[in-house]
Every structure is written in structure tokens, then in C-alpha cells.
Amino acid sequence: MNMRASNLIATLLAAAVMALPTALTAQNGSAPVVVSIATERLLAPVTAYPGTVISRNQARLAAEVEGRLEWVAEVGSAVRMGETVARLDDVLLEQTIRAEQAVVTREQARLVYQAAEVKRLAALVRRNSVPQSELDQAIANREMTEAEIAASEARVALTRERLARTELRAPFDGVVTERLLERGEWAESGAAIVRLVDTSLLEVQTWIPLNALKHVQVGSKLALSSNPSSAVEIGRAHV
């Protein structure tokens, strides 16, 4: 028996059941008999399946440097991309930058002296007043100082970058849904501090039996309902 015949039989049985009370009433003489013409209709069964609303864009934001947490955004805070969601103590890094910058200044002063010394010895070598080895040693000292300055400047730049990373910033618009560390706690490098969820990009995940998959195609419209408001929305299936 095919589906079309099954639907027809179901429709005829439903019409007969509905007409039964009317026929019985007619036999008692209390009301006239009303006859309805049975029609064939396709019945579309509706089955509800539980689902979960999730964000397609969420992340556990972690510290990129270690330090004591000075501030963490409250749960429920809405932040824009680039805004701060947590801040670590930066006093030690600021003092480190001052110390490393002082080294750069000292080496630059030494370089000025050594450059002048190379120039003086070069003139003496041309007059055969000093041996070439003294000039070579002065040139080597100058080049080592130049290398030390470059290394010191690189350390300053690295510390400045670490200082900038004491502020944990949101990589996308979202809402802080969880604080994994609290103010005053020590955050190791790589330790998750907050969970950020993009509430503007949501999807619903549900699980249905395999025999129901044949009734769902890519792009099919699905009715969604939520409790307790039972608000109905229309979504599209992504099978």
C-alpha cells in the first residue's frame, strides 16, 4: 500500500468518525443528518526535536604575558572588537623598559667616543705615528658597540610589545559570558581569562533520526520555538 492510498484511507476514516455523532443524533430525531463529502488531503506530520542554540564565533581569551590581574570585565559585558576585556599589572615591564633604555643611552655615548677615537687613530696611522693594529682594535670596538646598541634597542622593542599585551583585547564583537580568572589572581602566559561569545552569529544544533533526514534538504525552512516564550522563528537547514 503506497503513501497516497494510506492518506486516503486515513481521511475517509476521519470523516466517518466525525459523521458518527451526527448520524446517531438523527436516529433519535433531535437533529437533521448532515452529510460531508470526503476529500483527499496530504497530511504533513510535525515532529519536534530538542536543539541547542550556539554561537558560531566564540573564544577563550588567554593572557599573552604573565602577571597579576588588575581588572577583568564583568560577565554580561558587551564589548566591541579591540576593546579591553582584561588588564594585567604592567609596573615591572615599565621599569624594565627604563633600565633597557638606559643601556641604549650608555652605549650610544660610548659609540660617539669610539667613533672619534677611530677618526683620530686613522689620522695617526696615515702619519705612521701609531701602528695599524691600534686602529683595527678601535674599529672593532666601535662595531661591537653598534651591535650592542642594536641588541639593546631590540630588547626595548620586545618589552614594549609585552607591555602592550598586558591589555587583553576582544578579537571580535561579543559578550563576556564567563570569567575564568578573577582580579588579583596570577595569570600565566597562555592561561584563559575570559570567554567571549558573538551573540550576533548564532545557529541551532539538533539531532534527528536517520529516517527523518529524507524529509530535510539543504535550504529547507524549519520552524524554531523557544521556551518559555514559545516565540517562533524560521530558520534554514544546513544538512
Side-chain angles (χ1 to χ4, degrees):
M1 183 181 296
N2 57 30
M3 183 177 294
R4 185 180 184 88
S6 299
N7 290 335
L8 179 57
I9 293 173
T11 303
L12 293 174
L13 288 175
V17 172
M18 293 176 62
L20 181 59
T22 304
L24 293 175
T25 304
Q27 289 180 357
N28 295 331
S30 59
V33 177
V34 179
V35 179
S36 298
I37 300 176
T39 58
E40 180 182 358
R41 296 180 181 177
L42 293 178
L43 302 179
V46 177
T47 306
Y49 297 100
T52 304
V53 178
I54 64 172
S55 174
R56 299 180 65 183
N57 198 14
Q58 56 179 313
R60 290 160 57 100
L61 305 184
E64 297 185 60
V65 295
E66 63 180 14
R68 181 176 55 84
L69 282 167
E70 285 189 338
W71 175 81
V72 182
E74 294 287 344
V75 173
S77 301
V79 296
R80 306 284 292 178
M81 183 176 63
E83 290 184 349
T84 302
V85 296
R87 184 181 303 111
L88 284 77
D89 182 22
D90 58 3
V91 174
L92 294 179
L93 290 176
E94 288 182 345
Q95 295 299 329
T96 302
I97 288 177
R98 291 191 180 97
E100 291 171 346
Q101 188 61 56
V103 173
V104 173
T105 302
R106 182 192 65 195
E107 295 301 319
Q108 287 175 340
R110 178 180 299 176
L111 180 62
V112 171
Y113 167 77
Q114 290 175 340
E117 185 69 6
V118 169
K119 185 177 181 179
R120 185 182 68 84
L121 290 175
L124 293 176
V125 168
R126 287 194 296 270
R127 294 198 296 268
N128 295 323
S129 299
V130 296
Q132 179 67 35
S133 59
E134 290 190 20
L135 176 59
D136 294 340
Q137 183 62 49
I139 293 174
N141 291 339
R142 183 190 62 186
E143 291 176 350
M144 286 188 294
T145 301
E146 290 174 344
E148 182 60 32
I149 291 174
S152 298
E153 289 177 340
R155 288 193 292 269
V156 171
L158 178 60
T159 306
R160 289 190 187 279
E161 184 62 29
R162 295 180 62 197
L163 180 64
R165 294 172 186 244
T166 56
E167 290 194 359
L168 188 59
R169 300 183 181 276
F172 50 83
D173 298 349
V175 176
V176 177
T177 60
E178 186 179 4
R179 292 204 299 190
L180 304 170
L181 291 177
E182 299 291 337
R183 175 184 176 185
E185 291 188 286
W186 183 266
E188 297 287 347
S189 177
I193 298 177
V194 298
R195 180 188 296 275
L196 187 67
V197 176
D198 183 357
T199 57
S200 64
L201 194 61
L202 303 177
E203 68 179 16
V204 176
Q205 285 187 348
T206 186
W207 291 263
I208 64 175
L210 288 176
N211 57 6
L213 282 177
K214 61 184 178 181
H215 302 295
V216 181
Q217 291 79 34
V218 176
S220 297
K221 290 186 177 182
L222 305 177
L224 309 178
S225 62
S226 62
N227 291 322
S229 62
S230 296
V232 177
E233 299 177 354
I234 298 297
R236 290 191 177 273
H238 299 278
V239 182

